[in-house]
Amino acid sequence: MPVRLPPALPGMRIGLYGGSFNPAHPGHRHVSLTALRRLRLDRIWWMVTPGNPLKDHGELAPLEVRVETARRVASHPRILVTDFESAIGARYTRQSLRYLRLRHPAVHFVWIMGADSLASFHRWQGFRSIAAMMPIAVIDRPGFTLSAPGSRAAQALARFRVEEEAAGRLADRRPPAWTFLHGPRSTLSSTALRVRDRSSANY
């Protein structure tokens, strides 16, 4: 299967936002717009995964459906959607990020995650190697403002934390480097949307 990536030029600052997007929703867009502005990025790539190894795949919509929904929700010239992980057979995030680093060595990538993901980041395979590959920006989520910065992964990487005021230069930093961005938070979640849709279908 040919691997098609969004266009990228040397020196560009690109945020990588991965997930199942099952389904994509305005909360994902909110996180992306926050990252574009606060991190001074040129682009955000939504990496729609074949499936998260830590989650139940029983309710996972087909990949092509999730990609199409993501493109519709993103609706922004600087937010691009890709499903390249399926093409390269990646199962874990570290595999995907290593591939991108090799494919585009002159691009300044930043990994973007919600604070809920930081809370469980220590369970990701090779979370330390992910942190060593590229800077990380954590976007605040309701319910995780206090707990996520105290999580096991955050404590393990505490000495590499960058002050929020310096977030605009995060993409240029040598990893490990990460920051936690506070601000307006979206209460939307893919899980809640699936529950709502199931409830509606029962009426």
Side-chain angles (χ1 to χ4, degrees), residues 110-125:
V110 177
W111 179 249
I112 296 168
M113 66 167 69
D116 52 330
S117 293
L118 177 62
S120 61
F121 191 36
H122 63 279
R123 297 174 56 203
W124 295 25
Q125 187 179 90

Side-chain angles (χ1 to χ4, degrees), residues 123-192:
R123 297 174 56 203
W124 295 25
Q125 187 179 90
F127 83 91
R128 293 177 187 273
S129 66
I130 293 173
M133 265 189 273
M134 61 185 64
I136 298 172
V138 181
I139 313 297
D140 198 9
R141 289 290 308 277
F144 293 92
T145 304
L146 299 178
S147 61
S151 65
R152 285 174 58 182
Q155 292 301 308
L157 300 170
R159 66 193 179 100
F160 303 113
R161 184 170 177 177
V162 175
E163 292 298 324
E164 191 170 354
E165 293 74 16
R169 298 188 296 276
L170 183 69
D172 301 319
R173 285 183 175 265
R174 182 176 179 178
W178 68 282
T179 193
F180 193 103
L181 300 182
H182 299 84
R185 298 167 296 177
S186 171
T187 58
L188 289 172
S189 77
S190 296
T191 301

